[in-house]
Amino acid sequence: MPFSLLFDIAAAPPGRVEWKDEWPRFSAMEAAATLAATAGSFVVERRLDEPSGPHVVSEVPVIDPGARWLFRGRTKKVQDVFGTYSDIGFRMMAFFPYVVDVGAVALGVHRNPDVAAQMALIDAQALTLAGITQLVVVRAVARQRPYVQDCSPDGHTITRTCGGSNDYKSFFSGHAAAAFTSAGLTCVHHQNIPLYGGGPVEAWACTWAVGVAAATGLFRIVSDAHYATDVLAGAGIGWFYGYVMPKLIHYRNGTRTARAPASLLRWIPSFAPTGDGGFVSVGGAF
């Protein structure tokens, strides 16, 4: 896969906010797959056993120990504060594509329900697939979180009580995956649709989103909740679902696909992952 596909985030040129005829629309098959993934997320979350012990404990040499030594907060207060910051960044990025780009800009400013619906459905699909991937992998791998290394015999570290399934949900970072999925969605939409009028301001929207996502991932390391490789893996998977997949499926030249039935696309829930579970948002046709 050419690197230009991953990093070609040039701003959309000035023009009309419209869904071009050559862009494949969100299909009924995609809607069915998104709904199935959402249902699968609830099954995995509620039916599969929480990890009761580590499957993977070891750090990746050089990368994980070095990053942990460099970035980890040295006091409980620092780790707690940056853990809160990472939660804020995660929630901000998870809602940004829906609230700002879809609701306020495409629908509110440009009054284009067609573009708003296509964007919302693409967003829901990407976040749902990122969510179920994280849920399955975190249970299958059950990597021990970095703070567990410092658990004392009485089961405490400087920041939290050790013990329980949350100790084994390190790989990969759900916060990073959700944040980079949303950042990728922001970039791919603004690259192709002049939501803010076209030109450099579109590139700034992408730059801002990637910056917040990167900070969210870094703060997970500072809070000692994840290794650097957890965050890097989450960022890569999120970028694939948020940027690469929509670029390949929708923002390309191709045969125009038929509009999916409105009754099927009216509401599609999406599941965004976190370190301890996730939350559901909804996208759909207007």
Side-chain angles (χ1 to χ4, degrees):
M1 182 178 298
F3 285 105
S4 60
L5 182 63
L6 291 172
F7 301 110
D8 178 18
I9 54 175
R16 293 178 57 192
V17 171
E18 61 182 352
W19 195 262
K20 296 180 179 179
D21 287 346
E22 62 266 28
W23 291 344
R25 291 178 175 274
F26 196 89
S27 67
M29 183 177 295
E30 289 179 275
T34 303
L35 290 169
T38 300
S41 297
F42 284 102
V43 171
V44 172
E45 180 72 15
R46 296 183 178 277
R47 297 295 182 182
L48 293 188
D49 293 336
E50 295 276 358
S52 58
H55 300 166
V56 176
V57 181
S58 61
E59 301 172 302
V60 175
V62 180
I63 298 176
D64 287 332
R68 187 171 185 246
W69 177 85
L70 183 64
F71 294 113
R72 180 182 58 150
R74 269 36 178 196
T75 66
K76 180 181 188 302
K77 182 177 180 180
V78 170
Q79 292 189 14
D80 286 346
V81 166
F82 279 90
T84 300
Y85 288 165
S86 71
D87 290 340
I88 293 171
F90 158 74
R91 289 179 172 83
M92 182 188 303
M93 291 305 300
F95 284 109
F96 182 86
Y98 295 116
V99 175
V100 178
D101 284 349
V102 172
V105 180
L107 190 61
V109 175
H110 297 288
R111 300 182 183 277
N112 192 320
D114 182 38
V115 170
Q118 293 301 314
M119 290 173 56
L121 293 167
I122 291 169
D123 294 349
Q125 179 187 45
L127 286 165
T128 299
L129 292 176
I132 192 170
T133 300
Q134 195 267 348
L135 285 176
V136 170
V137 171
V138 80
R139 281 167 167 73
V141 175
R143 188 185 196 188
Q144 186 171 280
R145 291 188 186 269
Y147 66 78
V148 179
Q149 296 182 37
D150 300 331
C151 288
S152 61
D154 63 356
H156 291 78
T157 70
I158 63 170
T159 58
R160 65 206 89 197
T161 301
C162 302
S165 62
N166 191 51
D167 289 353
Y168 311 113
K169 293 183 177 180
S170 193
F171 187 86
F172 54 87
S173 169
H175 282 65
F180 273 92
T181 300
S182 293
L185 290 165
T186 300
C187 290
V188 77
H189 291 323
H190 283 271
Q191 177 189 343
N192 293 279
I193 303 173
L195 293 168
Y196 295 172
V201 68
E202 309 291 348
W204 276 111
C206 173
T207 302
W208 173 87
V210 171
V212 174
T216 300
L218 177 61
F219 295 163
R220 299 304 286 166
I221 301 174
V222 177
S223 67
D224 210 27
H226 288 287
Y227 292 106
T229 47
D230 300 328
V231 171
L232 291 173
I237 290 168
W239 188 257
F240 171 80
Y241 282 126
Y243 182 84
V244 178
M245 188 176 69
K247 182 78 171 177
L248 289 172
I249 297 175
H250 295 284
Y251 291 112
R252 60 177 175 82
N253 294 330
T255 303
R256 183 175 182 177
T257 58
R259 189 189 297 264
S263 60
L264 179 59
L265 299 185
R266 184 63 59 184
W267 302 107
I268 290 185
S270 65
F271 186 90
T274 69
D276 306 318
F279 69 86
V280 174
S281 55
V282 177
F286 299 88

